Amino acid sequence: MSERLEDIAARMVAAGKGILAADESSGTIKKRFDSIGVESTADTRRDYREMLFRSDAMKDYVSGVILYDETIRQNAKDGTPLVKLIADAGAVPGIKVDTGAKPLAGFPGETITEGLDGLRERLAEYYQLGARFAKWRAVIAVSDVLPTTTAVRQNAQALARYAALCQEAGIVPIVEPEVLMDGQPGDHSIDRCYEVTEFVLKTVFNELYEARVRLEGMVLKPNMVIDGKNARKASREEVAEKTVRCLKATVPAAVAGIAFLSGGQSDEEATAHLSLMNELHKPVWPLTFSYGRALQAAALKAWGGKAENVAAGQAAFAHRARMNGLAALGQWKPELEKAAA
Ligand code: 13P
């Protein structure tokens, strides 16, 4: 019998663990590899991800891994499917199913995330390949005048249609409406971020209700409430307090859990913010991480595309995963970073 959505979702937000977002599209992973001077080929992408999935940190701190279409079909160098490496480490394999944010016609500066056509059939195939959760990311730009209600509503409707199709397929949807911190102009205040995030989450949960999505069988992946990257002023405590306040005002208690994106925060900021939320504000849902950049940046650098650096890359990944695992329990302290350096 297939596993219940509620049980999969509970495994994804298990105490002291979080999600590794390794679902960079071919374009995005090329940018990451360019930054370390490594050519992006099917084999280098496989080698890099195999390094992460074989790390010891997986079984202790990683509850799930989000994959890209190419990766869910790839085998490790010795022929073992990468999905099997993940499942053997006790983590849930997941898959990014949107096909990207495209310009929204008639709304300059805003996007609509695509990927609904044929999604039922793709989900059935991904289930066969081992995926038990999926991800869809809507992108919301912020300025004095953006977002428009049209862009927010249309993205929320797409998220809701995606989530309903996932649940029909026995797959837990990660619902990700990202209010950008590092978009243009990126100079908005934390209070502007609060206001936009509140409106976006209210709209998303209304659409999820209209689409009959079961909240107990989904995970929310939101941004933190934080000022734009070109106007960073808010303290770590303020980010933690305003983020939890905004979530309490908008997210029903029935939601299985919340796993944040890092969105361009530094590694340590992303960890510190999560830890403070859990330590000081004790929210009703499990609050954990679903980080891409903030979990991988150090490992990518330490690896540098060289086979002899695999152990160093795994050590860097293990350190970040452990720091974030502690943050998910509200137990991270800045001294722990120095101890490892
Ligand atoms: P970042 O943590 O790098 O923002 O990526 C998370 C993610 O999966 C965005 O969709």
Side-chain angles (χ1 to χ4, degrees):
M1 205 183 71
S2 57
E3 192 179 0
R4 292 185 334 140
L5 293 173
E6 287 78 350
D7 296 334
I8 301 168
R11 285 205 282 144
M12 291 164 64
V13 294
K17 292 187 177 187
I19 296 167
L20 166 61
D23 60 322
E24 298 85 1
S25 63
S26 301
T28 302
I29 195 78
K30 181 177 181 312
K31 270 192 250 158
R32 307 273 187 268
F33 279 19
D34 284 348
S35 75
I36 54 164
V38 172
E39 194 191 348
S40 181
T41 67
D43 280 355
T44 56
R45 294 191 287 271
R46 188 273 315 277
D47 290 347
Y48 171 65
R49 286 164 172 154
E50 179 176 352
M51 169 183 85
L52 299 178
F53 304 161
R54 284 193 189 276
S55 154
D56 284 344
M58 286 285 299
K59 67 175 187 337
D60 296 324
Y61 309 113
V62 177
S63 59
V65 180
I66 318 175
L67 300 168
Y68 186 59
D69 181 76
E70 173 186 75
T71 321
I72 199 170
R73 304 169 192 281
Q74 273 180 322
N75 293 333
K77 227 173 187 155
D78 69 2
T80 313
L82 291 179
V83 170
K84 184 168 183 322
L85 293 186
I86 294 166
D88 287 352
V92 187
I95 181 76
K96 167 200 182 78
V97 299
D98 68 70
T99 55
K102 308 287 162 56
L104 179 61
F107 291 79
E110 301 197 283
T111 60
I112 180 74
T113 298
E114 296 188 345
L116 287 170
D117 288 356
L119 183 56
R120 176 177 277 127
E121 292 72 25
R122 289 198 292 133
L123 287 167
E125 188 197 6
Y126 287 138
Y127 189 95
Q128 291 305 322
L129 290 168
R132 291 297 177 270
F133 74 90
K135 179 191 110 171
W136 178 291
R137 172 176 178 252
V139 182
I140 306 297
V142 186
S143 72
D144 291 346
V145 292
L146 299 183
T148 61
T149 52
T150 304
V152 173
R153 194 182 317 113
Q154 294 194 358
N155 274 292
Q157 283 167 350
L159 275 166
R161 281 183 61 195
Y162 141 83
L165 281 163
C166 285
Q167 292 191 333
E168 178 190 87
I171 287 179
V172 170
I174 291 187
V175 172
E176 180 179 5
E178 176 174 4
V179 176
L180 287 178
M181 162 189 130
D182 67 355
Q184 291 302 326
D187 58 359
H188 56 274
S189 68
I190 186 169
D191 292 329
R192 176 76 180 135
C193 181
Y194 186 109
E195 176 180 63
V196 172
T197 303
E198 182 178 43
F199 177 66
V200 167
L201 291 174
K202 284 272 182 211
T203 307
V204 166
F205 279 99
N206 190 49
E207 293 295 340
L208 291 169
Y209 169 71
E210 298 262 357
R212 302 184 176 172
V213 172
R214 294 210 334 268
L215 302 181
E216 295 82 355
M218 65 159 273
V219 171
L220 178 71
K221 177 162 173 167
N223 53 283
M224 295 183 195
V225 173
I226 191 167
D227 30 20
K229 82 153 191 278
N230 299 324
R232 298 295 306 282
K233 282 201 291 281
S235 68
R236 290 176 171 181
E237 288 72 16
E238 186 177 1
V239 171
E241 190 271 322
K242 289 187 171 165
T243 302
V244 174
R245 184 143 52 91
C246 188
L247 293 171
K248 281 183 177 166
T250 53
V251 182
V255 168
I258 295 178
F260 291 100
L261 58 97
S262 60
Q265 299 179 43
S266 74
D267 296 0
E268 189 175 321
E269 276 175 342
T271 305
H273 290 147
L274 176 63
S275 197
L276 285 170
M277 286 185 230
N278 280 308
E279 184 187 341
L280 303 177
H281 303 288
K282 294 229 186 317
V284 290
W285 332 261
L287 277 193
T288 188
F289 57 92
S290 175
Y291 294 162
R293 284 163 283 182
L295 261 180
Q296 294 185 54
L300 183 72
K301 211 163 146 224
W303 173 62
K306 299 198 172 70
E308 64 265 31
N309 292 340
V310 163
Q314 287 177 331
F317 175 61
H319 173 67
R320 274 299 5 116
R322 182 166 156 267
M323 295 297 102
N324 285 307
L326 288 169
L329 300 169
Q331 293 171 3
W332 174 86
K333 292 281 173 280
E335 305 80 76
L336 295 168
E337 300 285 347
K338 294 193 194 78

